[in-house]
Amino acid sequence: MKYEVLVVGGGHAGVEAAHAAARMGRRTALITASAASIGRMSCNPAIGGLAKGQLVREIDALGGLMGRLTDAAGIQFRILNRSRGPAVWGPRAQCDRARYSTLARAALEATPGLDVLEGMAESILVDAAAGRASGAATESGERIEADAVVVTAGTFLNGLMHTGERRTEGGRVGEAASRGLSASLGSLGIRLGRFKTGTPPRVHRDSVDYAACEPQPGDEPPVPFSFRTPPGSLPERQALCWRTATNPAVHALIRENLHRSPMYSGAIAGIGPRYCPSVEDKVVKFADKAEHTIFLEPDGWDSEEIYVNGLSTSLPEDVQLAILALVPGLSTARMIRPGYAVEYDFAFPDQLRPTLESCALDRLFLAGQINGTSGYEEAAAQGLIAGVNAALAVRGEEPFVLERSEAYAAVMIDDLTRLGLEEPYRLFTSRAEHRLLLGVDTVLPRLVPYGRRLGLVSEAEHDAAMGSERRIAAAVTALREHRVNPSEAERARIRAAAGVVLDAPTTLFGLLQRADVDPDAIAGLEPGVFTPLTREERRILLSKVRYDGYIRRELERLERLKPFESRRIPDDFRYDGVPGLSREVVEKCGRRRPRTIGEAARIPGVTPAAVAVISAHVARSRERGVSPTA
């Protein structure tokens, strides 16, 4: 069989990679051990959260699937951090686990030009003459040829599951590990490491004492992830999640049994995620805390399972049962499945270009947890970018690389490929220096045009998305143009409507910037401004007005940096020919091949002085019309 793009793995990265490549007109195949497990939520049945929700909105704006699948499978929707500015809003949805996977598989099977194959990829095929990846061979000996390969193996590379002293090979319960692919990647010169992740026990929903827990309802009305989902179309009925917590008795029990935890007995060598630790790690590293929050999250409307979020553990099953018995609300809980840890191989991501193409072998792309990240959302965003760039590489076109000021996805990929990592990577809003520009309120105008240009967003979808932006922009203009003068009659009207005293001429825009002015009062003064807007568009409008000064200053700062950031370095630039560069700088820049001065500046070990030397040498060479490699 011969394809243009082959995607290995059917998790969240693989789903987005295969969908993107096929939508861009490339003959694509996705190979997975089981088609029934496509898009499966191995851990908690939720999408989004702080920074992660922004990623899902970005995936959606670029034409990806995750936002649409979440809206269709969601059973509870919330915006975290709603009381703060939109730069840190975190859309989150509890999903029906089984329905999400079913919808993901159906979406791929309905995508023209995409074949879903069942099998276990054993090795990467190489076209030695062309110096590029050329497909994959399966355990059964079948050869699947392709012009580009995207590997999204998740936690399956030499996966090993731990529950107490019991070890089982596999990437998750009931699914076999990938044994040969790690060796194949290593033979290509790709450095591999070992990480671990974990999952908590699941309990039967009818065995929980909900009266002992605090209810956690969704937002009313729920806000969708995808701009394609019409306002008001999400179901009004939402599931309840519940909050409880550990206590000193639980902590004492865990300490007594640490010697039985594979993490502390030395059975697990892989490094775990700092920001999603096991309950054992919480008790040891935060010994001063009397409790740790636990969220009880339903797996779906018809599922019997409750996911015990916050109790990730690899302790033996009998200890897990004893822990549950001590947690309020879970004292009579029946455990359906114990928690476990998974060790797996990953590839150090500093071996990748910003396109997620391997530096070791052309046309080989890596995306998702294989790059050391944690979370469905981080994986899906990487999968989309890798799938897009695989399709572009096959077409012989320029790669698609976003700047850090354009998307959280770009921040993540830049962090991974430039800085590398020593522990599983999780995206936070604090990682983005331009986060004021990256809020959920600005996703559509930032990224939908890219999605349209790539062919992942239809013309109708583009026009609908931009229509929302045009309505908001028109409202901003109307607020700026509506002047308010402090005449006696006008002062009385403002005081009656907004409860403030007007001392100087201003505009409705200026009034709305005041924290003590209710937006509904402004709507009463000029109802025509708000009439065309949806509820969510009104929220976006308010944030644009309230944060206008901060955003303008950030845009001005970014504009000042642009000439430096975007100065192009020729592909054949020879760093060893530039006087004044240290051996370290020459080696690192020669290996990473930064495309711009800005990228060179972000390589660890490349000093500001070295950046200035490189920039000056590139500029002088261009002025003389001489190749900088001469």
Side-chain angles (χ1 to χ4, degrees), residues 83-327:
S83 62
R84 302 177 65 187
V88 293
W89 286 352
R92 185 184 190 275
Q94 195 71 23
C95 292
D96 186 308
R97 186 193 303 270
R99 179 164 170 74
Y100 187 98
S101 180
T102 299
L103 290 170
R105 178 180 179 180
L108 294 190
E109 291 177 341
T111 302
L114 173 58
D115 291 343
V116 175
L117 313 176
E118 288 194 327
M120 185 71 80
E122 178 79 3
S123 62
I124 302 299
L125 302 178
V126 177
D127 183 337
R132 64 169 179 82
S134 61
T138 69
E139 287 182 339
S140 64
E142 183 180 15
R143 294 170 64 88
I144 305 171
E145 296 183 357
D147 297 319
V149 180
V150 183
V151 178
T152 67
T155 60
F156 283 80
L157 293 182
N158 286 330
L160 185 62
M161 297 179 290
H162 299 257
T163 301
E165 296 84 4
R166 188 173 73 246
R167 301 187 193 183
T168 309
E169 289 188 2
R172 59 181 165 231
V173 168
E175 297 183 50
S178 172
R179 304 295 299 170
L181 198 51
S182 282
S184 177
L185 293 172
S187 71
L188 297 174
I190 294 174
R191 291 181 294 114
L192 301 176
R194 195 82 169 153
F195 277 166
K196 83 100 187 170
T197 187
T199 189
R202 272 73 160 178
V203 300
H204 198 289
R205 67 181 181 186
D206 294 339
S207 66
V208 175
D209 178 9
Y210 296 103
C213 305
E214 176 189 344
Q216 301 281 304
D219 289 346
E220 295 291 348
V223 178
F225 269 99
S226 178
F227 74 89
R228 300 165 181 82
T229 303
S233 65
L234 294 179
E236 292 184 8
R237 178 191 176 207
Q238 294 197 67
L240 272 177
C241 296
W242 303 84
R243 181 190 180 280
T244 183
T246 61
N247 51 57
V250 171
H251 299 178
L253 178 62
I254 290 172
R255 291 191 189 98
E256 290 170 9
N257 287 277
L258 280 177
H259 64 286
R260 302 184 65 192
S261 167
M263 287 182 54
Y264 286 87
S265 68
I268 291 179
I271 299 170
R274 177 193 300 263
Y275 302 105
C276 189
S278 67
V279 70
E280 298 100 292
D281 263 351
K282 291 177 185 178
V283 168
V284 171
K285 295 179 179 178
F286 306 101
D288 57 319
K289 292 191 176 295
E291 65 175 38
H292 296 287
T293 298
I294 293 172
F295 293 102
L296 306 180
E297 302 174 339
D299 256 29
W301 288 119
D302 301 320
S303 173
E304 296 179 337
E305 292 189 15
I306 295 291
Y307 181 88
V308 188
N309 193 351
L311 205 63
S312 175
T313 182
S314 56
L315 284 162
E317 190 169 338
D318 63 300
V319 179
Q320 295 188 36
L321 284 167
I323 290 172
L324 291 174
L326 295 172
V327 175

Side-chain angles (χ1 to χ4, degrees), residues 300-540:
W301 288 119
D302 301 320
S303 173
E304 296 179 337
E305 292 189 15
I306 295 291
Y307 181 88
V308 188
N309 193 351
L311 205 63
S312 175
T313 182
S314 56
L315 284 162
E317 190 169 338
D318 63 300
V319 179
Q320 295 188 36
L321 284 167
I323 290 172
L324 291 174
L326 295 172
V327 175
L330 300 177
S331 58
T332 59
R334 298 196 305 275
M335 187 165 69
I336 294 175
R337 186 167 70 249
Y340 60 92
V342 186
E343 271 190 292
Y344 58 95
D345 292 345
F346 76 96
F348 288 97
D350 58 355
Q351 305 169 93
L352 302 176
R353 300 183 177 97
T355 59
L356 297 180
E357 185 178 21
S358 168
C359 295
L361 182 66
D362 287 352
R363 301 281 183 91
L364 175 63
F365 298 80
L366 306 182
Q369 280 190 267
I370 192 174
N371 290 336
T373 58
S374 63
Y376 311 140
E377 303 83 1
E378 287 91 339
Q382 291 174 70
L384 176 65
I385 298 300
V388 164
N389 280 304
L392 292 172
V394 170
R395 294 199 317 215
E397 297 180 12
E398 283 292 307
F400 176 62
V401 177
L402 291 165
E403 300 295 336
R404 290 178 68 95
S405 59
E406 293 182 298
Y408 276 104
V411 172
M412 172 183 64
I413 291 172
D414 187 58
D415 284 349
L416 292 171
T417 59
R418 177 176 57 89
L419 299 176
L421 42 72
E422 297 179 353
E423 62 187 23
Y425 178 96
R426 179 178 176 177
L427 186 63
F428 294 99
T429 56
S430 59
R431 294 188 188 272
E433 64 274 30
H434 302 297
R435 58 185 170 274
L436 275 176
L437 307 179
L438 302 180
V440 294
D441 58 327
T442 63
V443 167
L444 297 183
R446 278 190 282 119
L447 299 181
V448 166
Y450 284 123
R452 178 70 189 124
R453 192 187 77 195
L454 293 167
L456 298 176
V457 173
S458 70
E459 184 176 355
E461 290 170 336
H462 173 273
D463 291 346
M466 292 300 101
S468 175
E469 181 62 21
R470 284 192 294 272
R471 287 192 295 274
I472 295 170
V476 169
T477 299
L479 290 171
R480 288 187 185 277
E481 292 179 348
H482 188 122
R483 295 202 60 79
V484 183
N485 297 305
S487 65
E488 194 61 38
E490 192 73 343
R491 290 178 67 182
R493 189 167 80 99
I494 298 294
R495 185 166 57 248
V500 296
V501 176
L502 189 65
D503 295 322
T506 186
T507 61
L508 289 184
F509 187 94
L511 274 178
L512 193 54
Q513 284 185 305
R514 296 177 55 159
D516 59 346
V517 172
D518 187 341
D520 289 338
I522 301 298
L525 292 170
E526 184 57 79
V529 172
F530 296 91
T531 301
L533 305 181
T534 66
R535 181 194 296 260
E536 195 60 21
E537 287 170 349
R538 289 190 184 196
R539 285 182 174 143
I540 293 172

